[in-house]
Amino acid sequence: MRARKLVWPLALVTSLALPASLAAPAAAQSPAAPPASCDPTRTEPVYRGKVPSPEQVLGFELGERPVSAAESDRYLETVAAKSERVVSGTLATSAQGRPLRYAIAGRPGLVTKAGLAKVRTEAGLLREPRTPDALAERITRHGVPILWVSGNVHGNEPSGTDAALRVLRGLGDRTDCAAKAILDNALVVILPTQNPDGREAGTRQNAYGFDMNRDWFARTQPETDGKLAMLTRFPPALYIDAHEMGGTSYFFPPNADPIYHETPEQAIGWINDLYGASMAAEFTRRGIDFFNRDVYDLFYQGYGDSVPTSGFHAAGMTFEKGNSSPYPEKVEEQYLTQWVTLSAAAANRRRVLTEWRQMTVDAHRQGVAGKLEPNQIYNPPNQIDRQVPDRKVRHYFLQEGDPAKRDEVRTVVRRLQRMGVRVERLVRPLTVPDFRPYGEAEGKETLPAGTYWISMAQGQKHWIQAMLNEDSYTPFPYFYDVTAWSLPLLANVRGGSSGAVLRPRAVPVGTVPAPRPGHEGKAPRLGVLQLSATSSAARESAGWLRHRLDRDWKLPYTMLTPADVAAGGLAGIEVLVTPDGPASSAYDALGDAGRAALQEWTRGGGRYIGWQGGTQLAARLGLTTATLSEPTSDIPGTLFRVKVDEDGPLAEDVGGTVWNFTAYDLVMRASSGVAAAYPEADSPEWFVSGFERGAAELGGTAAVVDQPAGEGRSVLFAAEPNFRAFTDGTAKLLYNAILGPAPERAAAPRAAAAAEAARRAAALPSHESPIRVSVRASDAAAAASVLRSVGATWDEGRDGGVVHYVVDNPRGLPTDHHPFAGRLPSLIAEAGIDPVAVTLP
Ligand SMILES: [Zn+2]
């Protein structure tokens, strides 16, 4: 502790000495408040003509049609070249080699090297809780907030890009009071296209099949990683993430419940009362249709709104324009929300900076007190489903005791550090009276020297809790996305928390390097069977695997389709990996020849590895005795501790347990070859992080089976072992399945048992990204009526007092593009139903 007390004041003195301009009031450059008469959107734009129009550069006006990624870059470059208010750069390169170009716009004095350095230094001082109040006060008086405008993270939602370019042109060239108000009071970072590969391909995902609006905390994709690195350099007080959805309406916040409990209140205040209210007033005045407080929540910590909010204390906002409107209208409305929001931030420059500073101070204070923020409901009459436990958390610890887990621990530490979290290491053992290991009861424990220590007494307290939590404490049973993401659990590393007042002897840790990619041993001749070219589940799961094989493990492979398999594509393949996808359509697509080829290849000595749909296909082909059944529980993306057979080859470097990411997966039962299993639900090993209802049905079932099949072997996972390529713990099981030895020779399975498993697998219904609604039996008639009213078709199951509706989604559309999925939560509420769970695709 002593060391830190010395270091911090020194750091402050140094940073105080650096920006000389801070000491003296910058009278000449002091930003002026816009005149009250200047209306942000009714003011006629006045262009000075220094910047060529889009027509002059591209041959058409923005909004006539979507610009291509290259056209976007060309116009952005032109503005930066011609305007002294704009500079540009590249923050990342996509998988297919396209640059992610950004522009920074502000007063000419601010966008010089020295000007940008000053803005960054001031932002850094405001984000440091130990900065003296007087200095912080001076910065809020004269400084400017950093505001981000970004679009097109979903490649098939183009209009945010064109609107952002229109904003850029205005900031680069306009001389009227509305543009001047923004330029005088903010530094604006514009990232028109977050997903250039997706934009060119017309796909939601990037070239590796990732939905990058789920990748923000893990930053597995270079596009996300480069963006976060830039955000850390230019930390936002506002982050606009422009999307498109189905229909013709427009969504902007306030958000729907649930909202993550560590979301800072002042940021929600900005989102709802400053920006949300400004946009609502503008749209109302113009008679433009919009909605809010519905569909789009602020819970999962991997979005372009939630991460800027809890990780940077920005007003992170998702905007959604209906994609059925004509393109000019889409661009116009996107432009309006961007311009109105920037104008509102600029008009409230000092309030924004003061509250931005205050959020850091408050977060630090909460961390000192070990206080977690409670769950709240933001949209009555919703009711809190579950409260945050009343337990203090002042410290997190990560243990590197197992050398086999070194890379995983370091990946967690690195992710924290790169979001501005201070990580230290104990220099001598520390006795913690109330140490609570993840998923275990608390008790006295002495942690060895070398243990990583993360104090909650930091400005990044909200983010630390968001990343190191034992549970997300889902406040409300409505699921736009998954409910568990704790980094130590995903990585399957040891650690825990304490609420005690401790004085550890520790030293700060410099940013640890990324683990070196690669694999050990000889790579097998590897094939990847993608079950469908069109199913989004198949494309994503195969994409996550391709990322893992190409970039993390450096394992070459051959991509195969069912038709390839039927045409002899398995020749020479030693290990075949079959990720998720529609098993029944793939079964049909294989045909007699493909099915026989897969069976003969496996029984002839091949190693078949599958999960979800890939597991179901193996069962249908008689390659396992494990039986599969539909779940009757609600598990919308949740981590379960499962026990690993430590004698089997899959356990190498994993240990006795691993956290299994489960999301409405098929329930797998096996009497032999169980490599990983859920503990009994009433045993002390049972632990769940995230939402579940009825998950006890998983108790004692198999998570992974590893069985002989003739001379070959099938390794089958019930759930996705490589979810979004961030479940590093279970990915190690997959790594061992591909590269490890076969188990000791086990007894050959009985043919009758395999036939029975095949019969059951064939009887399973086929659902592509379904909508799931679960209600109490007393609400069943009302729920069915709601589903009928939107034209849904569904399968219905009853378990205990709960009725489960699995609603077909034949095209596998995500909620934002689905014709009725987004409307279901409010229709269910209007029908007076208090649902058990609503899970959107
Ligand atoms: Zn989107």
Side-chain angles (χ1 to χ4, degrees):
M1 279 311 280
R2 180 157 299 171
R4 262 180 49 240
K5 276 184 181 158
L6 281 172
V7 163
W8 277 107
L10 264 178
L12 280 178
V13 170
T14 316
S15 48
L16 273 169
L18 269 174
S21 52
L22 277 174
Q29 296 213 349
S30 178
S37 59
C38 185
D39 186 280
T41 56
R42 276 179 281 197
T43 299
E44 192 60 33
V46 179
Y47 294 94
R48 55 189 175 152
K50 252 185 143 168
V51 173
S53 68
E55 171 98 59
Q56 288 167 310
V57 177
L58 305 173
F60 58 94
E61 279 306 327
L62 293 170
E64 270 182 40
R65 64 157 173 84
V67 293
S68 68
E71 286 167 343
S72 173
D73 291 348
R74 180 143 44 99
Y75 193 65
L76 182 147
E77 279 315 303
T78 304
V79 179
K82 297 291 182 185
S83 176
E84 76 286 13
R85 303 172 188 165
V86 178
V87 292
S88 66
T90 298
L91 58 75
T93 303
S94 71
Q96 294 177 341
R98 294 189 177 89
L100 270 72
R101 302 289 291 163
Y102 67 84
I104 306 179
R107 298 196 308 270
L110 279 190
V111 297
T112 60
K113 210 171 166 194
L116 293 174
K118 178 167 177 281
V119 174
R120 289 182 53 199
T121 301
E122 290 178 348
L125 287 167
L126 292 181
R127 294 190 81 206
E128 168 49 59
R130 290 174 179 81
T131 298
D133 287 345
L135 174 57
E137 221 277 324
R138 200 149 69 233
I139 296 169
T140 59
R141 218 172 323 133
H142 301 289
V144 293
I146 302 168
L147 315 178
W148 278 67
V149 179
S150 72
N152 201 205
V153 70
H154 292 144
N156 59 347
E157 302 172 4
S159 58
T161 301
D162 306 80
L165 291 172
R166 196 184 282 182
V167 168
L168 176 63
R169 181 198 180 196
L171 294 178
D173 202 47
R174 281 169 60 172
T175 56
D176 54 86
C177 66
K180 198 168 173 306
I182 298 173
L183 289 163
D184 282 348
N185 292 286
L187 187 74
V188 183
V189 182
I190 297 176
L191 177 58
T193 306
Q194 299 171 81
N195 180 5
D197 291 352
R199 187 179 186 88
E200 289 306 298
T203 56
R204 177 182 182 88
Q205 292 90 352
N206 72 353
Y208 267 91
F210 281 69
D211 181 337
M212 290 194 291
N213 197 31
R214 305 292 185 273
D215 186 45
W216 276 66
F217 74 79
R219 49 205 289 189
T220 64
Q221 300 305 290
E223 296 93 327
T224 323
D225 189 63
K227 179 169 61 189
L228 265 303
M230 181 75 178
L231 278 159
T232 307
R233 294 179 67 220
F234 290 91
L238 167 71
Y239 191 92
I240 293 172
D241 195 19
H243 290 250
E244 293 180 25
M245 61 179 174
T248 57
S249 189
Y250 201 106
F251 167 87
F252 45 72
N255 295 90
D257 288 312
I259 292 179
Y260 187 57
H261 68 99
E262 288 292 333
T263 311
E265 286 306 309
Q266 296 98 323
I268 296 176
W270 292 346
I271 291 168
N272 292 1
D273 306 331
L274 179 57
Y275 304 123
S278 300
M279 288 181 281
E282 182 72 23
F283 274 49
T284 302
R285 188 169 67 75
R286 290 174 184 252
I288 303 173
D289 182 44
F290 71 95
F291 69 93
N292 53 32
R293 298 189 184 275
D294 203 3
V295 187
Y296 300 98
D297 66 13
L298 201 60
F299 187 64
Y300 170 65
Q301 296 293 301
Y303 296 137
D305 51 13
S306 54
V307 172
T309 307
S310 48
F312 294 95
H313 305 165
M317 293 188 287
T318 293
F319 296 168
E320 299 268 357
K321 171 58 191 169
N323 59 10
S324 298
S325 299
Y327 204 67
E329 180 186 312
K330 289 198 261 185
V331 174
E332 173 64 20
E333 291 179 23
Q334 299 275 30
Y335 170 77
L336 261 186
T337 52
Q338 293 174 14
W339 192 263
V340 165
T341 305
L342 292 174
S343 301
N348 291 273
R349 180 191 63 80
R350 188 147 182 207
R351 171 189 163 191
V352 166
L353 282 178
T354 304
E355 293 185 5
W356 197 54
R357 158 75 185 162
Q358 193 58 44
M359 277 186 256
T360 290
V361 173
D362 290 350
H364 175 258
R365 198 173 291 149
Q366 288 176 9
V368 170
K371 185 182 172 350
L372 300 186
E373 296 239 19
N375 268 334
Q376 294 184 60
I377 283 296
Y378 291 85
N379 299 296
N382 293 344
Q383 304 244 327
I384 293 181
D385 189 70
R386 186 179 177 201
Q387 194 44 277
V388 175
D390 185 18
R391 171 180 180 261
K392 290 205 183 310
V393 180
R394 287 192 167 91
H395 319 271
Y396 280 100
F397 297 95
L398 295 169
Q399 293 160 282
E400 207 190 53
D402 183 353
K405 300 283 180 72
R406 193 166 169 264
D407 279 357
E408 284 87 347
V409 175
R410 288 180 166 216
T411 298
V412 174
V413 168
R414 180 176 159 83
R415 282 183 179 150
L416 294 169
Q417 291 177 318
R418 297 180 77 215
M419 285 294 281
V421 174
R422 189 178 70 243
V423 179
E424 299 174 62
R425 284 190 100 161
L426 302 182
V427 295
R428 55 177 57 178
L430 176 71
T431 298
V432 181
D434 65 336
F435 185 63
R436 178 168 166 135
Y438 286 106
E440 294 174 32
E442 73 178 47
K444 186 171 165 179
E445 191 162 327
T446 298
L447 303 174
T451 299
Y452 290 100
W453 168 47
I454 300 98
S455 167
M456 288 282 266
Q458 303 191 38
Q460 285 296 73
K461 174 258 181 179
H462 299 304
W463 186 250
I464 297 169
Q465 178 61 23
M467 292 297 100
L468 298 183
N469 68 76
E470 183 180 70
D471 197 322
S472 61
Y473 310 119
T474 316
F476 182 63
Y478 157 71
F479 308 108
Y480 194 87
D481 203 71
V482 304
T483 66
W485 54 78
S486 170
L487 291 180
L489 272 51
L490 292 173
N492 196 32
V493 298
R494 282 192 56 77
S497 59
S498 161
V501 175
L502 302 169
R503 302 255 175 261
R505 289 283 300 275
V507 291
V509 180
T511 305
V512 302
R516 280 233 304 277
H519 63 271
E520 281 172 20
K522 184 174 171 291
R525 287 194 298 277
L526 187 62
V528 173
L529 172 57
Q530 183 173 324
L531 292 181
S532 155
T534 54
S535 144
S536 56
R539 293 215 322 262
E540 282 196 331
S541 186
W544 300 336
L545 176 64
R546 287 192 288 119
H547 162 89
R548 188 67 86 166
L549 296 172
D550 285 340
R551 291 162 164 171
D552 288 350
W553 297 341
K554 304 277 182 199
L555 282 172
Y557 56 91
T558 305
M559 288 301 295
L560 297 168
T561 64
D564 294 336
V565 170
L570 292 174
I573 299 287
E574 293 168 302
V575 174
L576 181 70
V577 185
T578 309
D580 191 21
S584 19
S585 65
Y587 183 90
D588 295 341
L590 283 164
D592 287 338
R595 294 190 287 265
L598 263 175
Q599 288 163 328
E600 282 160 22
W601 173 84
T602 308
R603 289 178 185 142
R607 185 182 294 188
Y608 181 105
I609 302 168
W611 53 90
Q612 298 168 299
T615 291
Q616 193 183 336
L617 178 66
R620 285 199 70 174
L621 294 172
L623 300 176
T624 180
T625 60
T627 59
L628 302 167
S629 59
E630 275 280 287
T632 58
S633 49
D634 280 294
I635 302 173
T638 304
L639 283 159
F640 290 79
R641 180 165 45 209
V642 298
K643 299 186 294 179
V644 180
D645 172 14
E646 291 192 76
D647 297 330
L650 301 189
E652 176 78 19
D653 292 347
V654 174
T657 61
V658 70
W659 297 91
N660 202 38
F661 193 91
T662 306
Y664 287 105
D665 293 299
L666 295 172
V667 181
M668 183 161 72
R669 291 182 173 81
S671 54
S672 70
V674 176
Y678 291 86
E680 295 299 334
D682 55 4
S683 74
E685 289 145 310
W686 178 262
F687 192 86
V688 183
S689 176
F691 182 91
E692 62 85 9
R693 286 288 185 279
E697 68 165 328
L698 292 178
T701 69
V704 188
V705 298
D706 185 352
Q707 296 181 326
E711 296 301 308
R713 171 185 175 202
S714 63
V715 183
L716 305 175
F717 297 76
E720 168 71 73
N722 185 41
F723 187 74
R724 293 178 184 161
F726 60 48
T727 52
D728 291 344
T730 45
K732 221 166 198 172
L733 298 174
L734 172 60
Y735 176 92
N736 291 334
I738 295 171
L739 285 155
E744 302 280 312
R745 200 69 207 145
R750 290 178 300 116
E756 171 63 12
R759 193 190 59 74
R760 292 213 208 169
L764 290 168
S766 181
H767 299 293
E768 170 79 17
S769 310
I771 302 158
R772 295 175 188 265
V773 177
S774 298
V775 300
R776 286 167 195 86
S778 53
D779 289 323
S785 162
V786 167
L787 293 175
R788 266 194 302 274
S789 76
V790 293
T793 56
W794 65 86
D795 284 343
E796 189 175 321
R798 279 174 192 259
D799 188 64
V802 178
V803 182
H804 304 274
Y805 299 93
V806 185
V807 179
D808 294 332
N809 180 12
R811 290 164 62 206
L813 292 172
T815 303
D816 43 344
H817 292 268
H818 192 279
F820 61 78
R823 284 192 282 138
L824 277 179
S826 55
L827 290 174
I828 288 166
E830 282 163 25
I833 302 168
D834 178 19
V836 174
V838 178
T839 304
L840 299 179

